[in-house]
Amino acid sequence: MLLIHCPWCGERPESEFRSGGEAHIRRPDPANAGDAAWADYLYYRTNPKGAHVERWVHTQGCGRWFNAERDTVSDQFQRVYRMDEPR
Amino acid sequence: MQRYSFSSLLRHTLEGHRGWQPAWQKAEPKDRYDVVVVGAGGHGLATAYYLAKEHGIRNVAVLEKGWLGGGNTGRNTTIIRSNYLYDESAALYDHAVQLWEGLSQELNYNVMFSQRGVMMLAHSEHDSKVAKRHVHANRLNGVDNEWLEPKEAKAFCPPLNIDPAIRYPVVGAALQRRGGTARHDAVAWGYARAASALGVDIVEQCAVEGMELAGDRVVAVRTSKGRIACDRVAVVTAGHTSHVMAMAGLRMPLESVPLQALVSEPVKPIFPCVVMSNTVHAYISQSDKGELVIGAGTDQYVSYSQRGGFPVIEHTLEAIVELFPIFSRMRMLRTWGGIVDVTPDRSPIIGRTPVRGLYVNAGWGTGGFKATPGSGHVFAHTVAHDDPHPIAAPFALERFTTGRLIDEAAAAAVAH
């Protein structure tokens, strides 16, 4: 079980959280985006073997979202930061 | 290749078993191949076999970073079925079941395919409607599937608890009698042996580390055993597909997550079929060695760690113990995880890519083993002709751009 550091509640077990998938995915501009841009936004993911930036929500705690950087090979969290902080 | 038969067994027995040869040849890579298959799991080896057997392309190498069949081929729960909802999926998975039915004879290798029946439980009115919809859709596609009332389900699988007072009572089940299990390692070994006999080089401990492109065309792979020039590259690397495709500069509509399974101590035959419950996440059968083979769920986050979290196992065992109280005191021997690549619509990706000469067969998610022969068969056709096999055509990568998804995720309401 992962131990996840919520920026507001501190370290809590993984079962209190939901993963929100890859972070920093920007919605394309509806006025100009073609099919490929929408496909990339909706379906394509970086899925890296290594450092991954992702969103989490502390559903069973404060209910707030935050971002994290985690190594997908070791599952170790490198950094936890707020949604309004830069990558 | 030595042919296996009763008479060869008898002859080798009389000779004291000193005349057996290795089932396949270990190879060091040559400088150049017509086709390089990346990944020596069941799907990759089947691809190489059908390339050699049906398309006459024998200058083929299968590169494996670890050992043969050591990825998801050796980590799955060996369930085989074809009762998928949509026409495209039913065609693909039933093509595989039809190949399974003759596979041991085709390969001259016993893959221990056992059509013991796969029973999928329904626990609510909603479940039973979804299951019956599957039954009817399957029968329209010529795929066998039938609805069982709880007592019939209990008769088919005596350890099943059909007490209506449990938290998720069994209100019925859909049974595919042609479904069952096979010996997963034997599938990899059988295809490796048959492919090797046709001249395919199987190279273990050879990780692909890069791809060389000339314009929009792949011309070589760089590996831990040196550069290998090739006309075509067929990537069949399951959970590592995004990682390998990134070497050619491509992104994929995939996320890789750990999927766990576990086995119990071996016991006498008690469990005659395969039982799955998508609602409570329990998948169980008994191996020929006597172990209960239990499939658990996936972790919710991207990971390449090949092990999952304990809450996932706990969740599955809660369901198993409620449905089969007789197993509540059994000891579990081992748990493990494999990395599965999941697509947004839970259907695989088979076909060409934006890089010419580069083909991908991926996205089988949590249920690729059942498709092994069919997957290799249609993918080999696709690679050999640079044109999708008719069964594979709907599973092309372009569907994520056109929006024509094959949404088996919603169809089964589960990460299966």
Side-chain angles (χ1 to χ4, degrees), chain B residues 5 9 21 64 155 210 288 290 297 306-307 317 348 372 385 396:
Chain B
S5 66
L9 184 61
Q21 292 168 3
E64 169 56 50
D288 291 330
Q306 286 196 329
R307 59 184 179 188
L317 290 180
T372 303
H385 297 273

Side-chain angles (χ1 to χ4, degrees), chain A residues 19 47 70 72 75, chain B residues 72 238-240 254-260 297-308 337-343 346 365-366 415-416:
Chain A
S19 170
N47 196 26
R70 182 175 53 87
T72 60
D75 285 339
Chain B
N72 294 346
H240 281 69
L254 292 169
E255 287 197 298
S256 297
V257 292
L259 175 67
Q260 292 185 82
T298 54
D299 279 295
Q300 52 172 333
Y301 46 86
V302 170
S303 176
Y304 289 79
S305 65
Q306 286 196 329
R307 59 184 179 188
I339 302 304
V340 300
D341 46 333
V342 179
T343 57
R346 303 297 190 272
T366 59
H416 61 145

Side-chain angles (χ1 to χ4, degrees), chain B residues 1-348:
Chain B
M1 181 176 87
Q2 283 180 323
R3 261 196 90 70
Y4 297 153
S5 66
F6 180 72
S7 63
S8 80
L9 184 61
L10 195 64
R11 197 175 65 247
H12 283 293
T13 306
L14 294 173
E15 292 168 359
H17 293 295
R18 283 185 292 269
W20 294 109
Q21 292 168 3
W24 64 86
Q25 303 298 319
K26 287 197 185 293
E28 286 303 308
K30 295 189 288 191
D31 293 342
R32 204 196 154 278
Y33 289 95
D34 294 343
V35 179
V36 164
V37 177
V38 185
H43 291 240
L45 292 164
T47 303
Y49 169 71
Y50 292 113
L51 276 172
K53 163 112 188 312
E54 303 214 337
H55 305 286
I57 302 175
R58 299 189 173 192
N59 186 22
V60 175
V62 185
L63 308 183
E64 169 56 50
K65 73 171 169 155
W67 68 97
L68 190 147
N72 294 346
T73 298
R75 293 164 194 262
N76 68 85
T77 53
T78 77
I79 298 172
I80 294 165
R81 61 186 179 89
S82 61
N83 51 354
Y84 280 70
L85 182 63
Y86 291 116
D87 298 351
E88 298 89 345
S89 315
L92 178 63
Y93 290 100
D94 210 57
H95 181 54
V97 169
Q98 288 170 29
L99 289 171
W100 278 116
E101 286 171 337
L103 194 62
S104 291
Q105 286 74 24
E106 159 109 23
L107 300 178
N108 181 232
Y109 200 93
N110 187 2
V111 299
M112 298 166 78
F113 179 47
S114 160
Q115 291 177 297
R116 58 186 67 182
V118 173
M119 196 163 75
M120 299 174 79
L121 303 179
H123 301 279
S124 66
E125 180 65 17
H126 174 75
D127 272 4
S128 71
K129 284 190 168 142
V130 170
K132 285 174 184 172
R133 185 180 173 213
H134 273 72
V135 168
H136 296 312
N138 289 158
R139 292 170 80 149
L140 286 170
N141 275 319
V143 174
D144 73 303
N145 200 353
E146 62 194 270
W147 176 256
L148 302 183
E149 296 297 329
K151 279 187 178 153
E152 296 171 307
K154 171 94 177 159
F156 192 72
C157 183
L160 181 65
N161 179 13
I162 56 167
D163 183 347
I166 62 175
R167 175 69 183 84
Y168 293 103
V170 175
V171 303
L175 170 64
Q176 185 179 25
R177 292 185 191 270
R178 284 165 66 235
T181 58
R183 172 93 165 88
H184 50 3
D185 295 328
V187 176
W189 299 338
Y191 272 119
R193 173 171 170 268
S196 178
L198 292 171
V200 170
D201 280 354
I202 298 164
V203 188
E204 294 173 286
Q205 307 291 329
C206 180
V208 170
E209 294 165 347
M211 287 195 213
E212 278 179 33
L213 300 158
D216 64 346
R217 180 161 200 101
V218 65
V219 293
V221 291
R222 286 196 304 276
T223 77
S224 54
K225 295 194 174 189
R227 178 183 186 273
I228 303 173
C230 54
D231 294 336
R232 283 169 266 191
V233 176
V235 174
V236 200
T237 52
H240 281 69
T241 303
S242 294
H243 178 66
V244 174
M245 297 301 276
M247 297 172 190
L250 297 178
R251 274 162 68 81
M252 293 296 290
L254 292 169
E255 287 197 298
S256 297
V257 292
L259 175 67
Q260 292 185 82
L262 55 159
V263 292
S264 73
E265 59 192 331
V267 290
K268 286 182 179 178
I270 183 167
F271 207 80
C273 57
V274 180
V275 173
M276 308 173 47
S277 168
N278 291 342
T279 303
V280 297
H281 267 237
Y283 308 79
I284 180 168
S285 63
Q286 188 174 19
S287 74
D288 291 330
K289 281 191 288 185
E291 304 151 326
L292 294 180
V293 181
I294 296 171
T298 54
D299 279 295
Q300 52 172 333
Y301 46 86
V302 170
S303 176
Y304 289 79
S305 65
Q306 286 196 329
R307 59 184 179 188
F310 275 119
V312 176
I313 295 174
E314 186 179 19
H315 181 69
T316 290
L317 290 180
E318 282 169 356
I320 293 290
V321 168
E322 183 176 74
L323 289 170
F324 307 100
I326 191 172
F327 297 143
S328 65
R329 280 166 290 166
M330 277 188 74
R331 284 165 295 199
M332 294 297 138
L333 281 191
R334 296 189 300 280
T335 76
W336 64 91
I339 302 304
V340 300
D341 46 333
V342 179
T343 57
D345 63 358
R346 303 297 190 272
S347 288

